[in-house]
């Protein structure tokens, strides 16, 4: 309830055009991201210029902090790298998500289902967190994201091949072969 009370207080401040709060800062940054996107919709304004422009907003008193990013993975890519960057992040996140969902829907194998659910949860978590923060800002987190996705997808690929080449292959029963 404390978070909800803080959100209500932040909303009240924003109604008075005061963005000097956690939520207000994000909303001001998100509005700014759309303005930056309009400035260069195909290629974006670039990460360095975007960060400099954010600091200019802080110096003008619009936002309280000079943030290095826009607190939204989708708006960050849209503003800094344009529609091309936005499409890249969409493909990066939603291609594995679709792969995991299809795997889950098309198998009765318990191990494949666990791997697919793990992939769905991980990718969903990244997407949801990306709505209020820019998690790809640090190289380590980006590498970890790709490592986890590639590992889960590789395990699924390996397991599918194992099932496909198993002599006890059955289409109606869950396969009992383990990793």
């Amino acid at each position: 309830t404390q978070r909800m009370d803080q959100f209500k207080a932040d909303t009240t401040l924003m109604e008075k055009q005061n963005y000097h709060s956690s939520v207000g800062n994000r909303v001001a940054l998100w509005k700014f991201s759309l303005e930056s996107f309009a400035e260069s919709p195909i290629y974006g304004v670039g990460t360095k210029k975007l960060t400099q422009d954010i600091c200019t907003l802080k110096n003008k008193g619009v936002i309280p902090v000079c943030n290095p990013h826009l607190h939204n993975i989708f708006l960050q890519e849209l503003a800094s790298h344009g529609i091309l960057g936005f499409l890249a992040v969409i493909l990066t996140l939603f291609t594995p998500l679709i792969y995991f969902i299809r795997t889950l829907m098309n198998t009765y194998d318990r191990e494949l289902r666990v791997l697919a659910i793990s992939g769905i949860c991980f990718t969903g978590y990244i997407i949801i967190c990306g709505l209020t923060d820019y998690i790809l800002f640090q190289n380590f987190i980006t590498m970890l994201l790709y490592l986890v996705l590639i590992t889960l997808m590789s395990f699924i690929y390996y397991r599918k091949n194992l099932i496909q080449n198993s002599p006890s292959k059955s289409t109606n029963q869950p396969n009992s072969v383990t990793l």
Side-chain angles (χ1 to χ4, degrees):
T1 62
Q2 185 180 4
R3 293 282 270 179
M4 288 306 295
D5 291 341
Q6 185 62 49
F7 178 77
K8 289 175 187 174
D10 289 357
T11 305
T12 303
L13 286 173
M14 287 188 312
E15 289 171 354
K16 299 174 185 172
Q17 301 301 311
N18 182 345
Y19 293 95
H20 293 266
S21 64
S22 178
V23 175
N25 187 42
R26 282 175 166 78
V27 170
L29 288 169
W30 296 342
K31 285 180 179 180
F32 172 69
S33 71
L34 297 176
E35 294 168 10
S36 294
F37 170 67
E39 185 179 323
S40 182
I42 303 297
Y43 301 110
V45 297
T47 306
K48 186 175 181 178
K49 182 180 183 323
L50 185 65
T51 303
Q52 290 170 346
D53 291 349
I54 291 170
C55 290
T56 301
L57 282 180
K58 192 258 183 214
N59 294 337
K60 290 181 179 178
V62 176
I63 58 173
V65 181
C66 178
N67 291 305
H69 55 79
L70 295 170
H71 287 283
N72 183 302
I73 191 170
F74 304 104
L75 294 176
Q76 174 77 28
E77 289 304 316
L78 207 54
S80 62
H81 300 110
I83 198 74
L84 297 175
F86 179 75
L87 290 175
V89 81
I90 292 293
L91 285 172
T92 298
L93 295 174
F94 286 94
T95 300
L97 181 62
I98 292 167
Y99 177 77
F100 294 133
I101 290 170
R102 284 186 177 169
T103 298
L104 180 64
M105 293 175 62
N106 294 322
T107 189
Y108 292 106
D109 182 74
R110 184 173 23 139
E111 285 85 3
L112 278 175
R113 293 180 70 79
V114 167
L115 289 167
I117 290 169
S118 298
I120 291 167
C121 291
F122 179 74
T123 311
Y125 174 78
I126 297 297
I127 291 168
I128 290 168
C129 288
L131 294 175
T132 59
D133 207 354
Y134 184 65
I135 55 172
L136 301 179
F137 182 65
Q138 298 175 349
N139 290 336
F140 174 76
I141 295 173
T142 304
M143 289 187 296
L144 182 64
L145 166 76
Y146 285 116
L147 179 66
V148 170
L149 290 176
I150 289 168
T151 301
L152 287 170
M153 293 171 86
S154 296
F155 284 162
I156 289 172
Y157 179 78
Y158 175 79
R159 179 73 181 156
K160 284 180 179 180
N161 281 337
L162 196 64
I163 292 169
Q164 195 72 12
N165 297 325
S166 172
S168 64
K169 187 170 91 174
S170 172
T171 56
N172 295 330
Q173 296 294 324
N175 199 310
S176 61
V177 178
T178 59
L179 289 174

